Amino acid sequence: MKDIRERAFELAVRIVKVCQFLDEQLGVGGTLGKQLIRSGTSIGANLEEAQAGQSRADLISKNAIALKEARETHYWLRLFF
């Protein structure tokens, strides 16, 4: 099974590609696409930051933020699809 950080990175890559497609083909990148790309790429960034946490509380906080971003990404994806 892949590490959660690797899976988050792969998701971010796919989201970038989807947003590019939506913008180029359908012209719907705008605000919704920007929200999706921000939240979708933020998941992995926060998981990476958590690995370098200065304390256990910092690690927990960054992971909690990653979870929030994952939930937001799910919301935006539901709107698109």
Side-chain angles (χ1 to χ4, degrees):
M1 183 176 214
K2 291 184 182 179
D3 177 83
I4 187 71
R5 292 178 297 145
E6 182 62 28
R7 291 172 57 197
F9 179 79
E10 290 172 2
L11 173 65
V13 169
R14 292 176 72 187
I15 284 175
V16 168
K17 289 178 182 178
V18 165
C19 288
Q20 287 174 333
F21 171 80
L22 290 171
D23 191 40
E24 292 169 6
Q25 302 299 318
L26 306 174
V28 297
T31 303
L32 295 178
K34 289 177 185 176
Q35 289 295 115
L36 174 60
I37 206 161
R38 280 188 196 118
S39 64
T41 57
S42 178
I43 300 165
N46 279 292
L47 290 172
E48 289 292 335
E49 281 188 44
Q51 293 300 305
Q54 296 176 353
S55 65
R56 180 168 167 77
D58 192 28
L59 175 109
I60 292 168
S61 174
K62 296 294 186 204
N63 281 316
I65 292 169
L67 177 59
K68 285 180 167 183
E69 295 295 338
R71 294 180 63 84
E72 181 179 342
T73 299
H74 182 248
Y75 174 80
W76 295 121
L77 287 169
R78 286 177 42 216
L79 280 177
F80 274 117
F81 306 103

